[in-house]
Amino acid sequence: MALSSCISQASYGVGVLSLTSQSYSKTTRILLSRIRDLSLLPRFPVTRVCSVSPREPSSGQILASITDISLNQSVEKIELPKGDMWSVHKFGGTCVGNSERIDNVANIIVNDNSERKLVVVSAMSKVTDMMYDLIHKAESRDDSYISALDTVLEKHRLTATDLLDGDYLLSFLSRLHHDINNLKAMLRAIYIAGHATESFSDFVVGHGELWSAQMLSFVVKKKGFDCKWMDTRDVLIVNPTDSNQVDPDYLESEKRLQKWLCQNPAKIIIATGFIASTPQNIPTTLKRDGSDFSAAIIGALVMARQVTIWTDVDGVYSADPRKVSDAVILRTLSYQEAWEMSYFGANVLHPRTIIPVMRYDIPIVIRNIFNLAAQGTMICRPSVNDNADGQHVESPVKGFATIDNLALVNVEGTGMAGVPGTASAIFSAVKDVGANVIMISQASSEHSVCFAVPEKEVKAVAEALQSRFRQALDAGRLSQVAVIPNCSILAVVGQKMASTPGVSATIFKALAKANINVRAIAQGCSEYNITVVVRREDCIRALRAVHSRVYLSKTTIAVGIIGPGLIGGALLEQLREQTAVLKEEFNIDLRVMGITSSRKMLLSELGIDLSKWKDLLNLQGEAADLQKFVQHVHVNHFIPNTVLVDCTADSSVASHYYDWLCKGIHVITPNKKANSGPLDEYLKLRALQRQSYTHYFYEATVGAGLPIISTLRGLLETGDKILMIEGIFSGTLSYIFNNFTGERDFSEVVAEAKEAGYTEPDPRDDLSGTDVARKVIILARESGLKLELSDIPVQSLVPEPLKASASAEDFMQQLPQFDHDWSKKRQDADDSGEVLRYVGVVDAANQRGHVGLRSYKKDHPFAQLSGSDNIIAFTTVRYKEQPLIVRGPGAGALVTAGGIFSDILRLASYLGAPS
């Protein structure tokens, strides 16, 4: 718009006004006068028809004509074309931030095969802020507004030079320089007055959209397509409100759009976003996020097929991805869900943007201009069977949003109950200080009302309430007006939450697990939103906790591996091979969040890359700290379930099991120390296990990967009675006696077993029988016997003189001295048609157990083992004549790790994985 046109508009009635450079000071005086008097003058509707020749010599003369034309005197009456023929696109400032991006936008427009296209564009990135800064500088009488305006000019000149050439470039630059000269004059007037009215501010700021729309239209024309650009101030009519918003006048806007389309027929229309006019044709804006609003209004006017909002994200996330790494893109949102989430701070759309399209069920699609392959998010009226979000269909919750920097105000007192008008008086006082109430909560007792306001406004609110209720406070009818600072709001949104039982229980259970205290709660009767107030420092933890509970599978398990030695290393390799398959086929998501040895630990925020965990542990590992390790795995990730896998034989680690189970951490282990330790500690563990839903699995403590514990439990739980359990429980000793057949000496077989890795580093640990005794006591206790380890007699196979050997090497060197004794024992058994076996026995009938060397007939099942196999015979009331036998490999890191892995999968099945 020319400066003379602007002045004429302020003058209301001038026909043609010509200004020369010599009359500049007079112009300034007129402008100042009009700026002061604009809001006081009567307003007459006029329509601007501005015409400036782009090739006119720059003589310093600016011409403009103002013609008063009634809309009812249209040249011809043509119905506004409406319907699915139209597609509406809106491109934000980042989409048109530079020449390359503007060209990309043009390509998207021309590749859209819709019959008619209406494109709404924002100002180039940062330009709107730059224009507001110009006004602020001019009002502050800061001379730098001149250079700042030159920066705006240069930004657009360089961009246009990159994109355009020939007449298109000359035409745009002519318009650009023309507008800049007018702005200089207007800003000079504001500089002198020290003040700009809202109308003049809106006029200045709206130029960013004018330039981007004109530039984009020329780029589209350059590509060979018929295109017109629209100044939406000629079409969109809005009524300003007291709340710094505007209400569209749809009837008047439709009439003007019909007239514009009649006069400017084109298949592609590039329209300015953000700007509009009042019914008196005063330039105004649609306020912040106004370009989205422009697109929605125009989409509603033409009843478009859809409105596409192009931005720089792939769609609407289930939560802020900067706070929740597992946030997912939502395929669909209902209008109400988008409304709720945007109100509570989610980067969706301004709530008012949704109103126009809702009237005609026009979908809004949020798409990423930098990732065209992404489907984006569609905001629409949901169908009855809306399954668009795939695996999360079953969840009634769609998304989560937060608002920070709030304070709670609590007005409390017994004198409030049953007294009409108390709430009205409270919020009237809040209104008087101009504070915005974000959330309200009141119990049915009417004893207190609490509400949330921005923290910057809480002081004024508290003072207003103290003043308003001074008499009630002094008389004791109100006990206090309390302010609780440092609060945040967490909103849980979902249209399907309505009438779905258990949603609140799920949310609050997740918050409780994360140790989050809820300060206030609110839920409307529509049930689309559950709002809770938490401490500001707890907000992100609370957000992650509830999001994980809803969006992660019930069988997403945070895994911490303690002891990455032979067994732990083998388990990590098995997890590496199987986790992808388990996630894809069984919806079991196992994430190893930490690995710790006795010296170093490796922690991860998202899950350790198991293909290189050894290198990561060596290069990035920090000093081991078991307490920090557990805290990290369990608390910091808010995955629904946590399991610690203890692959050590360390009694100090086992001593923590009870505390971990109390915290809701599942425990899986091959470590026998807890279950074979002091009886009272074992009984505490089992009692806790029965009373809670936290699981403690230890199948691999007896028989490595063999199902011995589960078989015993199955017998007992189905009512069978254990009479005796007898077995070869040591894979090491099984290997030794299976290979001690007379062809080699006993010491040779032990050395071979040690070399093959079947024994402990010191073979005396196996030959002492203590390991077998621990397994016997575990089975005895599982059978209901209350025995201590010291109650089990153990026959040691370590010769008495060698028990005090200084080292394992010293022991192995001296062991051949006793080969003759072992040969005699073997020969005596062989002469009787028997073989030697080292066995453990649980004599449940007599409530005792023992461990030692026995001989068995060669046709006995125990005599027919090979390698390192274990064999266990259960003699019960049901299996009295013929014992139930479990047999298989009972030693080695791979089978033990397999037993642990089996326990992890059993835990997953208990937690809801498909069986």
Side-chain angles (χ1 to χ4, degrees):
M1 180 184 292
L3 173 60
S4 54
S5 172
C6 180
I7 297 173
S8 298
Q9 176 182 312
S11 303
Y12 301 102
V14 182
V16 177
L17 174 64
S18 174
L19 299 177
T20 63
S21 57
Q22 286 78 14
S23 62
Y24 181 81
S25 59
K26 181 180 179 182
T27 301
T28 302
R29 290 195 299 274
I30 295 173
L31 259 175
L32 287 172
S33 173
R34 299 303 176 240
I35 289 173
R36 297 188 194 100
D37 301 336
L38 183 61
S39 61
L40 302 177
L41 292 177
R43 306 181 188 277
F44 304 96
V46 298
T47 299
R48 300 179 305 280
V49 181
C50 302
S51 175
V52 179
S53 173
R55 298 184 186 84
E56 188 174 354
S58 179
S59 62
Q61 187 175 30
I62 303 171
L63 297 177
S65 64
I66 306 298
T67 308
D68 188 357
I69 302 175
S70 172
L71 286 176
N72 295 324
Q73 300 172 356
S74 302
V75 177
E76 52 183 316
K77 187 74 173 178
I78 298 178
E79 289 294 324
L80 175 65
K82 297 181 180 181
D84 288 351
M85 69 180 73
W86 286 100
S87 66
V88 175
H89 298 264
K90 178 267 176 177
F91 295 93
T94 54
C95 300
V96 291
N98 55 44
S99 57
E100 180 182 356
R101 293 180 181 180
I102 293 174
D103 188 63
N104 184 39
V105 166
N107 289 331
I108 291 173
I109 294 169
V110 300
N111 289 330
D112 179 358
N113 57 10
S114 300
E115 182 180 342
R116 306 191 75 167
K117 290 164 277 193
L118 207 157
V119 180
V120 177
V121 292
S122 299
M124 291 181 67
S125 181
K126 307 299 183 185
V127 167
T128 299
D129 289 337
M130 295 168 74
M131 302 303 283
Y132 274 118
D133 186 55
L134 289 174
I135 297 169
H136 174 72
K137 282 181 164 61
E139 287 183 315
S140 303
R141 295 193 171 95
D142 181 348
D143 290 328
S144 65
Y145 79 87
I146 299 174
S147 60
L149 183 58
D150 289 339
T151 302
V152 173
L153 167 64
E154 191 66 8
K155 179 181 180 73
H156 288 85
R157 189 189 68 79
L158 290 175
T159 304
T161 303
D162 282 345
L163 288 168
L164 305 172
D165 51 32
D167 287 346
Y168 293 132
L169 179 59
L170 290 174
S171 180
F172 176 79
L173 291 180
S174 175
R175 291 173 183 267
L176 176 65
H177 285 284
H178 173 76
D179 289 343
I180 292 294
N181 287 333
N182 282 349
L183 287 173
K184 282 183 179 178
M186 181 169 285
L187 290 168
R188 175 62 181 169
I190 295 171
Y191 177 93
I192 295 172
H195 172 70
T197 64
E198 182 179 353
S199 297
F200 278 87
S201 294
D202 288 345
F203 178 78
V204 171
V205 171
H207 277 75
E209 278 71 18
L210 292 171
W211 295 327
S212 62
Q214 292 171 43
M215 199 184 317
L216 179 59
S217 69
F218 283 129
V219 175
V220 173
K221 286 182 179 180
K222 182 182 175 183
K223 292 180 181 290
F225 292 84
D226 181 30
C227 177
K228 298 285 178 65
W229 80 275
M230 174 195 290
D231 181 348
T232 49
R233 293 176 301 186
D234 296 329
V235 172
L236 294 187
I237 303 302
V238 297
N239 292 295
T241 68
D242 293 337
S243 56
N244 196 31
Q245 295 186 9
V246 294
D247 292 331
D249 185 336
Y250 290 99
L251 290 177
E252 182 65 21
S253 297
E254 183 176 352
K255 290 177 184 178
R256 296 198 180 202
L257 178 59
Q258 179 176 312
K259 178 180 177 62
W260 193 96
L261 291 174
C262 174
Q263 296 175 346
N264 300 275
K267 297 293 185 182
I268 302 175
I269 299 167
I270 312 296
T272 55
F274 183 55
I275 57 178
S277 293
T278 68
Q280 296 77 28
N281 294 317
I282 305 297
T284 187
T285 67
L286 304 183
K287 313 311 174 187
R288 287 293 185 177
D289 299 311
S291 293
D292 289 349
F293 199 17
S294 299
I297 296 169
I298 291 174
L301 291 177
V302 299
M303 295 186 185
R305 184 181 73 256
Q306 75 176 33
V307 175
T308 304
I309 306 292
W310 293 90
T311 181
D312 55 359
V313 294
D314 286 344
V316 180
Y317 283 87
S318 55
D320 187 340
R322 295 168 298 182
K323 298 177 181 178
V324 180
S325 59
D326 291 310
V328 299
I329 297 291
L330 300 172
R331 298 271 186 89
T332 63
L333 276 175
S334 72
Y335 296 121
Q336 290 81 4
E337 287 167 340
W339 201 332
E340 294 280 358
M341 289 184 68
S342 60
Y343 177 77
F344 280 95
N347 187 20
V348 186
L349 293 171
H350 194 283
R352 62 184 178 165
T353 303
I354 301 167
I355 298 173
V357 295
M358 281 182 66
R359 301 171 65 187
Y360 304 107
D361 286 346
I362 300 170
I364 296 179
V365 180
I366 312 294
R367 292 197 61 189
N368 189 351
I369 194 169
F370 306 116
N371 181 15
L372 299 182
Q375 294 182 356
T377 300
M378 178 175 286
I379 300 171
C380 57
R381 192 174 303 281
S383 62
V384 176
N385 298 312
D386 183 10
N387 292 344
D389 283 320
Q391 62 180 342
H392 302 307
V393 171
E394 73 281 358
S395 172
V397 177
K398 263 296 177 65
F400 305 87
T402 58
I403 303 178
D404 294 321
N405 302 318
L406 301 176
L408 271 182
V409 179
N410 186 44
V411 183
E412 184 177 300
T414 55
M416 293 172 58
V419 178
T422 303
S424 174
I426 291 172
F427 295 113
S428 176
V430 175
K431 176 181 178 296
D432 289 343
V433 297
N436 179 34
V437 177
I438 297 173
M439 189 208 81
I440 304 169
S441 179
Q442 178 180 347
S444 59
S445 66
E446 302 181 64
H447 180 67
S448 68
V449 174
C450 76
F451 53 93
V453 296
E455 204 154 39
K456 63 184 179 181
E457 299 173 355
V458 72
K459 182 178 179 181
V461 169
E463 290 175 352
L465 290 172
Q466 293 278 0
S467 174
R468 173 65 180 78
F469 292 103
R470 172 54 53 200
Q471 184 177 355
L473 287 165
D474 292 342
R477 295 195 305 276
L478 289 184
S479 58
Q480 64 173 344
V481 175
V483 172
I484 304 172
N486 302 318
C487 292
S488 292
I489 277 180
L490 167 64
V492 182
V493 174
Q495 188 164 349
K496 292 183 180 179
M497 288 163 51
S499 304
T500 301
V503 176
S504 296
T506 299
I507 298 304
F508 290 114
K509 182 177 180 181
L511 293 172
K513 181 181 176 184
N515 198 30
I516 304 292
N517 180 46
V518 175
R519 288 179 163 174
I521 305 166
Q523 177 180 335
C525 62
S526 68
E527 302 181 60
Y528 292 167
N529 183 313
I530 299 173
T531 302
V532 298
V533 179
V534 299
R535 294 188 307 169
R536 183 189 303 161
E537 55 265 36
D538 291 339
C539 185
I540 292 180
R541 285 200 303 131
L543 177 62
R544 291 176 179 171
V546 294
H547 185 276
S548 297
R549 180 62 186 86
V550 170
Y551 270 92
L552 295 185
S553 162
K554 290 182 180 178
T555 49
T556 300
I557 305 175
V559 182
I561 304 293
I562 304 171
L566 288 175
I567 295 173
L571 174 62
L572 286 165
E573 178 62 19
Q574 292 174 9
L575 288 169
R576 183 193 67 78
E577 293 175 349
Q578 285 297 114
T579 46
V581 175
L582 290 171
K583 185 173 183 179
E584 182 177 346
E585 296 186 9
F586 299 99
N587 200 24
I588 300 173
D589 188 358
L590 302 177
R591 304 188 188 186
V592 178
M593 313 304 288
I595 301 171
T596 183
S597 66
S598 59
R599 294 188 300 275
K600 296 181 77 174
M601 66 180 181
L602 176 65
L603 307 178
S604 171
E605 294 292 331
L606 301 176
I608 295 170
D609 182 353
L610 298 184
S611 65
K612 50 185 178 182
W613 68 267
K614 289 183 180 178
D615 293 336
L616 292 173
L617 181 62
N618 290 331
L619 296 174
Q620 300 178 14
E622 55 187 278
D625 181 332
L626 189 58
Q627 182 177 356
K628 181 180 178 182
F629 176 84
V630 173
Q631 177 82 0
H632 173 85
V633 174
H634 179 52
V635 175
N636 290 346
H637 303 282
F638 307 108
I639 291 175
N641 311 284
T642 305
V643 61
L644 293 176
V645 182
D646 174 18
C647 297
T648 73
D650 193 330
S651 57
S652 65
V653 176
S655 67
H656 292 283
Y657 292 174
Y658 185 85
D659 290 337
W660 294 344
L661 292 170
C662 286
K663 293 176 180 177
I665 302 173
H666 307 289
V667 176
I668 293 174
T669 184
N671 187 343
K672 293 176 278 293
K673 297 299 173 63
N675 285 11
S676 62
L679 178 62
D680 59 338
E681 294 182 11
Y682 166 81
L683 293 175
K684 278 178 60 180
L685 273 177
R686 289 307 308 275
L688 178 62
Q689 186 181 12
R690 293 187 185 99
Q691 293 166 6
S692 69
Y693 291 97
T694 309
H695 299 286
Y696 171 42
F697 294 149
Y698 41 86
E699 184 71 73
T701 57
V702 181
L706 297 178
I708 296 172
I709 299 289
S710 56
T711 298
L712 174 56
R713 284 194 174 177
L715 293 170
L716 294 170
E717 289 169 0
T718 56
D720 204 351
K721 183 178 181 182
I722 303 298
L723 301 177
M724 181 174 291
I725 304 173
E726 184 179 13
I728 297 173
F729 296 104
S730 169
T732 302
L733 296 177
S734 176
Y735 179 88
I736 289 173
F737 285 103
N738 287 338
N739 289 277
F740 182 42
T741 58
E743 299 173 0
R744 289 176 294 170
D745 289 331
F746 184 77
S747 61
E748 287 183 62
V749 177
V750 173
E752 181 184 272
K754 184 176 186 299
E755 184 68 24
Y758 287 119
T759 73
E760 295 294 331
D762 189 337
R764 285 176 293 182
D765 293 338
D766 297 292
L767 295 173
S768 67
T770 302
D771 183 66
V772 176
R774 289 189 179 277
K775 295 176 180 178
V776 167
I777 201 67
I778 290 171
L779 292 177
R781 290 174 174 177
E782 289 290 314
S783 302
L785 306 185
K786 295 182 178 179
L787 300 176
E788 294 281 7
L789 186 60
S790 58
D791 295 331
I792 305 296
V794 180
Q795 179 186 357
S796 174
L797 303 184
V798 179
E800 192 65 34
L802 301 186
K803 289 181 178 178
S805 295
S807 65
E809 291 73 19
D810 186 36
F811 166 77
M812 291 302 299
Q813 288 177 359
Q814 298 184 57
L815 186 59
Q817 300 174 21
F818 300 89
D819 282 342
H820 177 73
D821 295 337
W822 278 109
S823 295
K824 186 176 185 309
K825 291 178 183 179
R826 185 203 58 76
Q827 189 61 51
D828 290 345
D830 190 53
D831 292 344
S832 302
E834 297 176 341
V835 294
L836 297 175
R837 296 291 185 262
Y838 194 81
V839 298
V841 177
V842 177
D843 185 355
N846 295 302
Q847 306 217 351
R848 63 188 182 187
H850 57 271
V851 174
L853 192 64
R854 286 189 172 189
S855 57
Y856 292 88
K857 292 295 183 181
K858 292 183 179 180
D859 61 351
H860 192 280
F862 285 15
Q864 298 171 11
L865 292 182
S866 61
S868 61
D869 281 3
N870 281 184
I871 186 168
I872 297 91
F874 295 93
T875 303
T876 71
V877 171
R878 292 178 191 160
Y879 296 94
K880 190 171 185 179
E881 301 301 323
Q882 183 152 350
L884 174 63
I885 292 178
V886 178
R887 172 181 171 177
L894 290 177
V895 294
T896 304
I900 299 168
F901 201 168
S902 179
D903 271 350
I904 294 174
L905 297 182
R906 183 152 65 105
L907 171 64
S909 70
Y910 279 31
L911 297 173
S915 57

